[in-house]
Amino acid sequence: MLGYILRRCAMLIPVILGVVFIVFVMMYVTPGDPARMVLGEQAPQEDVDNLRAEMGLDDPFLFQFGRYVYKAVVHGDIGRSYITKRPVWDELMTAFPITLKLSALAMGIALLVGIPCGIVTAVKQYSIFDNIVTLFALIGISMPVFWLGLLLILLFTVKLAWLPPSGFDSLAAMVMPAVTLGLQSVAIITRMTRSSMLEVVRQDYIRTARSKGQKESVVIRKHALPNALVPVVTIAGIQFGILLGGAVLTEIIFSIPGLGRLMVSSIEMRDYPMVQGGVLFIALAFCLVNLGVDLLYAWLDPRIKSQYT
């Protein structure tokens, strides 16, 4: 198992380098001058040229990329913001915990609602409950995040005055953002759990367990569910990574000072170090989530653990 973990960690290196290179290329060819953004449109061109030289923006592209990778690997320095002048790492550590909390709440809602609904709809296939849940799952997958967020604000803030329209500093303020971000994941996990359970409950070993006189609840919980959860865990891991990097609209709608909102403002201000550091951070978090999902397979399925060892 340790060897597998080390191999997977080694595989992260080219992935992260590829992500950083792609971001560098995109920021390099994007119109706009960071030095001009910092000094303002009325600044003399001589001052802008001096600031560009100070920032290292006049250096060749490959030299800039190599310098960034060297500082990040050797010194753990991923740059300093052009706008705030603070280290990028400090800015990310301020915003990321908020995004992580929001994504974790949304993922918790998705798992607590999606898995039970998927199990029940598979066991009671073509029932009224199955049809209702399937309809709501299709609506959840199709509904845009920004539209759902605005509807929730209109209903629970404007009409009913139950929940605050913005912020993320209290339990009441967390409800609407978490539901907004997690609804699509609820629908996806519900559909995946239902599909996986339907495939498992038709297997021979499930019929054998039933023929031995075991209760249906025991058959589902002990025999069917562990095998059905393997693809669900895959989707849940992917969804959690998507939530970490895709909470931008939710954070903007509800004025949450998270990583997504920080990235948007940094892109608008041409704050290259902040954008590069943010994308690098999200890519690393996504890779670590996938590694955790792979290790979780071994706990769910002993056959997979034997392959690791």
Side-chain angles (χ1 to χ4, degrees):
M1 181 68 76
L2 180 60
Y4 173 79
I5 296 175
L6 293 178
R7 286 196 303 272
R8 286 299 306 270
C9 291
M11 291 171 60
L12 296 181
I13 297 175
V15 174
I16 298 301
L17 287 176
V19 169
V20 174
F21 182 78
I22 292 173
V23 175
F24 248 87
V25 171
M26 294 179 64
M27 299 303 296
Y28 190 79
V29 301
T30 299
D33 189 350
R36 176 67 66 181
M37 294 290 294
V38 172
L39 296 177
E41 295 296 333
Q42 305 301 323
Q45 185 61 41
E46 181 180 357
D47 294 342
V48 174
D49 294 338
N50 292 334
L51 184 58
R52 282 184 57 85
E54 181 181 341
M55 291 178 172
L57 299 177
D58 291 336
D59 297 330
F61 170 77
L62 292 179
F63 186 82
Q64 294 183 40
F65 177 73
R67 180 175 57 202
Y68 182 84
V69 173
Y70 173 79
K71 288 183 177 180
V73 173
V74 177
H75 302 289
D77 180 13
I78 54 176
R80 186 176 291 269
S81 171
Y82 291 160
I83 308 302
T84 64
K85 307 301 181 183
R86 294 183 60 199
V88 171
W89 183 258
D90 293 346
E91 295 281 358
L92 294 176
M93 286 298 99
T94 302
F96 181 71
I98 299 175
T99 299
L100 180 61
K101 184 189 296 184
L102 173 61
S103 301
L105 287 173
M107 196 72 244
I109 293 174
L111 294 176
L112 291 175
V113 177
I115 292 179
C117 287
I119 294 173
V120 175
T121 53
V123 174
K124 300 182 180 297
Q125 188 181 15
Y126 303 131
S127 64
I128 296 177
F129 182 79
D130 182 20
N131 293 331
I132 293 174
V133 171
T134 300
L135 175 62
F136 277 100
L138 291 175
I139 294 174
I141 294 175
S142 305
M143 187 177 297
V145 172
F146 67 90
W147 189 62
L148 175 60
L150 294 176
L151 287 181
L152 292 178
I153 291 175
L154 180 63
L155 176 60
F156 291 105
T157 301
V158 178
K159 298 294 184 181
L160 301 177
W162 287 356
L163 299 172
S166 62
F168 203 68
D169 53 356
S170 65
L171 183 60
M174 296 177 185
V175 174
M176 288 196 295
V179 172
T180 300
L181 186 61
L183 182 63
Q184 197 169 75
S185 296
V186 170
I188 293 173
I189 290 177
T190 298
R191 298 294 296 169
M192 176 55 66
T193 305
R194 180 182 184 273
S195 176
S196 181
M197 281 293 296
L198 286 175
E199 182 178 352
V200 169
V201 296
R202 297 190 179 105
Q203 299 297 318
D204 292 338
Y205 66 88
I206 298 297
R207 285 193 290 268
T208 302
R210 286 169 174 163
S211 66
K212 291 181 178 180
Q214 291 189 352
K215 295 181 180 179
E216 185 66 17
S217 60
V218 176
V219 172
I220 296 300
R221 185 182 69 253
K222 186 177 180 180
H223 299 284
L225 185 58
N227 293 293
L229 282 181
V230 173
V232 176
V233 168
T234 303
I235 294 298
I238 294 174
Q239 284 299 119
F240 186 64
I242 293 174
L243 293 179
L244 285 174
V248 177
L249 291 176
T250 304
E251 291 179 357
I252 292 177
I253 291 172
F254 294 98
S255 300
I256 300 173
L259 185 59
R261 191 176 179 187
L262 176 65
M263 292 287 291
V264 171
S265 62
S266 299
I267 293 172
E268 293 175 349
M269 299 298 293
R270 300 294 189 276
D271 194 349
Y272 291 174
M274 187 63 67
V275 175
Q276 292 158 0
V279 173
L280 174 63
F281 198 87
I282 292 173
L284 181 60
F286 199 99
C287 292
L288 292 177
V289 168
N290 286 335
L291 176 60
V293 168
D294 288 346
L295 297 179
L296 188 57
Y297 289 158
W299 179 70
L300 292 172
D301 193 340
R303 295 171 298 179
I304 300 177
K305 184 177 181 179
S306 65
Q307 296 176 6
Y308 291 166
T309 55

